[in-house]
Amino acid sequence: MKKLVFLILLVKLPFSLNAQYQKHISNKGSSYFLNPIFAGDYPDPSLLRDGNDYYIVHSSFEYYPGLLIWHSKDLINWIPVTHALHKYVGSVWAPDLVKYKNKYYIYFPANNTNYVIKADKIEGPWSDPVDLNIGNIDPGHITDKDGNRYLYFSSGGYVPLSEDGLSVVGKYNQVYSGWPIPRDYIIECFCMEGPKIVKRGEYYYLTTAEGGTAGPATSHMIISARSKSPLGPWENSPNNPILRTVDRSEKWWSKGHGTLFEDTNQQWWMVFHAYENGHYNMGRQTLLQPVEWTKDGWFKFPDAIKTDKPIKKPLGAAPKSTFTLNDTFDGNDLKLQWQFFGEYDPSRFSLADNTLSLKTKGNSIANCSPLLYIPSDHSYMAEVELLIEGNAIGGLVLFYNDNNAFSGILADNTNILGNIRESQFTTEENVIKKHVYLRLKNSNNTVNMYYSTDKIKWIKVQNSFEVSGLHHNALGGFLSLRLGLCAMGDGVVKFKNFVYQKL
């Protein structure tokens, strides 16, 4: 199996700041940050503090290799470490990253069961997934004072684990039924999910989400309960819901799925996810807010803190990054931002001489398993150089899923092809000779397409498309609109000099 490159780059994830907020932060000073800390599709964050280091992992769904682990020293600047999952096991939902007796574990649901992978070092190598042979979703790991291990699920129940954490050794126990949502709340469903448990003082604190992860803007919310035992009984917080979108006019919708943690300076925080108003197709983005403790031992978000306003940074510093999503395909391995949809087959690709060679698969964008990454801006331009071998068709695409939710600009040996939704057609005939430059411009969800034979003169094709409706509420799957490369037909497509630019 091809080993993915470890990026030795300090990454401040690029996220879009409009002029008003840029000015606001400038006036406040560089000691403030603005959410999100991960722009784009980074849902269900699970954060582990390991000494003076922070690690985070997110749901990876149908994108492989999966479970990309990130590292930070200050919670704002992050570096990608490694993909922990290479074997395809289905759509990977909310994981939990934990450390136990100097070993690292990730528990995650997929394919109607739950798996665990482990490693001696955070950078791997990570084991193949072990099937725990138990249903439910959103596993959350906790240990008691004697080191016994348990795994909670979204249902509010738990199972005991073996000492090595690789098997279930007892029966399922139902111990928590959630916080009763008032009937006048506008929600998608009760849908309790994402249990995360931490200990502070004499209490264990259980954080869950309720209300449905999508649906109406006011659905998702963060709920807290506590107990003197990790196995309950649980008492709901008087501050529930701890956080919730209360009106669709807010910038961040469906705020939920939080992980509570203490930083290296004894300040408590929560990471959680939310959809951005007007940019639902970017998926659920990762946000960060401080929490405070009340005299009676509960926590809440400070009244002065607003999710969409500048927030005082955590203590700690890290150098700013020069990282971009550009890729010259140098080296011999894929950069960590790239993932295939629906598979990970290292035999399909190779890198040499600043060129990515991608073998074809299928006969349409839907079944070609495109190579994708997460755009981090509302408006952007992407371009790439293609060389066509055999009877291949290659292209630059925007892709939600394999069920007619994709579009892009393609090329075969001689023609420029358009694809709008599931409809593919020739848009420019006999204009190239197995070599072309392709470009997409996404301007706030309106996408224009271009090609060039010399990278100097760019010709806009007549076909454009609109992508604001390509999101979970319309299409399901909890996915996002991603940008990437496809190769289909019969042959090989060679890609050079991929460029991404915020507009």
Side-chain angles (χ1 to χ4, degrees), residues 203-218:
Y203 285 104
Y204 293 85
Y205 291 85
L206 169 63
T207 304
T208 59
E210 293 179 7
T213 194
T218 55

Side-chain angles (χ1 to χ4, degrees), residues 226-387:
R226 73 181 184 187
S227 172
K228 291 187 177 180
S229 165
L231 309 183
W234 297 97
E235 173 191 8
N236 279 315
S237 171
N239 301 316
N240 283 336
I242 304 299
L243 186 66
R244 173 178 174 251
T245 303
V246 297
D247 191 275
R248 62 178 291 113
S249 64
E250 295 180 38
K251 179 179 176 66
W252 294 104
W253 288 8
S254 299
K255 292 180 281 195
H257 207 106
T259 296
L260 178 70
F261 66 96
E262 184 181 20
D263 72 11
T264 57
N265 297 289
Q266 291 74 56
Q267 168 68 55
W268 286 79
W269 298 82
M270 183 171 284
V271 289
F272 56 98
H273 67 211
Y275 286 105
E276 186 176 0
N277 187 349
H279 297 277
Y280 215 80
N281 59 3
M282 290 181 70
R284 290 163 292 170
Q285 307 182 49
T286 298
L287 293 77
L288 175 71
Q289 287 184 204
V291 301
E292 63 184 14
W293 294 92
T294 60
K295 292 181 180 179
D296 53 355
W298 296 101
F299 71 88
K300 67 183 188 70
F301 289 104
D303 294 338
I305 296 296
K306 305 299 179 186
T307 306
D308 61 344
K309 302 297 183 183
I311 297 171
K312 186 80 170 179
K313 286 181 181 178
L315 295 177
K320 291 186 177 181
S321 169
T322 58
F323 176 80
T324 72
L325 290 171
N326 296 340
D327 194 350
T328 59
F329 301 114
D330 56 311
N332 299 313
D333 300 288
L334 280 174
K335 302 273 191 312
L336 292 179
Q337 65 260 39
W338 295 105
Q339 295 173 293
F340 289 93
F341 185 84
E343 70 170 19
Y344 178 61
D345 180 3
S347 69
R348 278 194 67 201
F349 68 91
S350 61
L351 289 96
D353 301 321
N354 293 98
T355 302
L356 166 65
S357 297
L358 185 59
K359 295 179 183 178
T360 56
K361 179 181 180 181
N363 56 9
S364 71
I365 298 175
N367 57 25
C368 75
S369 185
L371 182 60
L372 306 169
Y373 79 94
I374 302 169
S376 54
D377 299 290
H378 300 160
S379 298
Y380 52 85
M381 179 195 74
E383 64 183 51
V384 68
E385 180 181 1
L386 279 72
L387 294 96

